[in-house]
Amino acid sequence: MGINLSKGERINLSKEAPSLKKVGVGLGWDTNTTDTGTDFDLDASVFMLGADGKIPNEKNFIFYNNLSSPDGGVKHTGDNLTGAGDGDDEQIIVKLNDLSTQYQKVIFVVQIYKGVENKQHFGQVKNAFIRAVDATGKEMVRFNLSGTGQYDNQRSLLFAELVREAGDWKFNAVGSASPSDSFVEWLKQYS
């Protein structure tokens, strides 16, 4: 088991694993017994940001309809529509050594697809987490979101970020919320 982080905490992955070249960032969730009439479809996405905090172009927005960055450094492994099963429900692979130095931050946003329409929010989700694993699958760090009540009525979260600082990669547990269930709001912020 890796290091558990709380909102706002960070860890230097480069110091924890000096030979780290690839990180798997996994998202997992289960739904509460709340019956909203439809499955909870959480979608993970990635924004690759430059030093100015902006996305160089929309191809650097990785999600279920754009599974890989142009340089192949970030790859989404596919969309899970229900959260059924144990472990990671969606996973993103980040090849740290393949990322151009123009990218200083890789942020991970999770939204509930059609959350407003289906009257679903993160307060109805249990066991929600984001974690980073090394190339062998060993968990290095985990950030659990469930159980705090602070995400009631929130449908979109900036879960965590990987930040390049002085040649090192750091994992930050963010947990910043938006009541919107649209990636468009995040795109506006980072475009």
Side-chain angles (χ1 to χ4, degrees):
M1 189 98 170
I3 297 168
N4 283 313
L5 296 181
S6 296
K7 182 176 179 176
E9 291 183 326
R10 64 191 311 186
I11 185 172
N12 187 329
L13 294 178
S14 299
K15 288 192 174 156
E16 293 293 319
S19 62
L20 188 66
K21 295 177 182 167
K22 182 169 79 170
V23 174
V25 177
L27 162 73
W29 74 92
D30 295 314
T31 57
N32 285 337
T33 56
T34 306
D35 184 9
T36 62
T38 186
D39 289 329
F40 281 66
D41 178 8
L42 275 63
D43 291 320
S45 65
V46 177
F47 296 82
M48 300 169 65
L49 307 180
D52 62 356
K54 302 293 182 187
I55 304 169
N57 64 61
E58 286 190 14
K59 292 181 181 180
N60 297 108
F61 168 49
I62 314 306
F63 67 115
Y64 56 83
N65 277 338
N66 179 35
L67 294 175
S68 184
S69 63
D71 63 3
V74 176
K75 182 178 179 181
H76 193 303
T77 62
D79 191 15
N80 179 318
L81 303 177
T82 66
D86 293 331
D88 297 341
D89 293 308
E90 293 193 9
Q91 192 171 63
I92 294 144
I93 308 300
V94 181
K95 297 177 184 173
L96 301 173
N97 290 355
D98 291 351
L99 290 181
S100 165
T101 56
Q102 78 172 339
Y103 304 115
Q104 297 299 306
K105 192 180 283 189
V106 180
I107 64 170
F108 302 90
V109 172
V110 180
Q111 77 168 18
I112 300 175
Y113 182 71
K114 294 187 178 180
V116 172
E117 179 181 324
N118 294 327
K119 296 182 172 94
Q120 297 171 336
H121 57 80
F122 277 99
Q124 299 165 316
V125 176
K126 63 180 181 177
N127 302 325
F129 67 86
I130 190 167
R131 68 187 191 126
V133 299
D134 66 14
T136 69
K138 178 183 173 195
E139 183 175 296
M140 297 179 291
V141 63
R142 174 182 289 255
F143 173 36
N144 293 309
L145 281 165
S146 299
T148 63
Q150 65 183 321
Y151 300 111
D152 288 356
N153 299 314
Q154 304 301 320
R155 293 172 176 90
S156 182
L157 296 171
L158 193 164
F159 251 102
E161 57 190 16
L162 285 171
V163 180
R164 187 190 320 243
E165 289 181 5
D168 288 348
W169 284 98
K170 297 180 178 170
F171 184 95
N172 298 337
V174 180
S176 176
S178 168
S180 168
D181 68 348
S182 171
F183 285 128
V184 173
E185 295 305 314
W186 295 104
L187 272 172
K188 286 179 191 174
Q189 183 175 345
Y190 294 111
S191 295

